[in-house]
């Protein structure tokens, strides 16, 4: 129950800043199957994804997409920022500065 409340209380930028520390940042794919994740992979993992390739049909992907949509953030933007070399903290800073709704609870 506490974990569920925590998940409801974190914003997308907080997920990237805090939960992103558990992973090594990668580009061009959600996960390397181990500890590497892109920004969307971090958000999916926050919602319970284990990093395996079945992500495209997982409920964790849907949860991540819903959280982004709820915050008014496009997945294309997150992918672009991640793949252009921005660190998770830098992406979070960008979202906080440019997307007021990123501060909404996901």
């Amino acid at each position: 129950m506490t974990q569920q409340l925590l998940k409801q209380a974190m914003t997308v930028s907080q997920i990237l800043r805090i939960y992103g520390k558990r992973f090594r940042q990668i580009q061009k794919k959600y996960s390397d199957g181990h500890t590497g994740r892109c920004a969307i992979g971090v958000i999916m993992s926050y919602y319970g994804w284990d990093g395996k390739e079945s992500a495209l049909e997982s409920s964790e992907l849907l949860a991540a997409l819903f959280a982004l949509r709820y915050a008014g953030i496009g997945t294309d933007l997150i992918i672009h920022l991640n793949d252009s070399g921005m660190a998770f903290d830098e992406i979070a800073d960008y979202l906080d500065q440019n997307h007021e709704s990123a501060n909404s609870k996901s």
Side-chain angles (χ1 to χ4, degrees), residues 16 25-26 30 37-44 78 82 88 91:
L16 291 172
Q25 190 167 3
I26 62 171
Y30 294 137
R37 299 283 191 283
C38 73
I40 291 184
V42 167
I43 298 166
M44 289 172 22
I78 298 292
N82 184 84
F88 295 144
I91 295 170

Side-chain angles (χ1 to χ4, degrees), residues 55-71:
L56 296 178
E57 54 202 50
S58 72
S59 60
E60 294 85 9
L61 175 58
L62 293 176
L65 295 176
F66 180 77
L68 290 169
R69 172 176 252 165
Y70 181 76

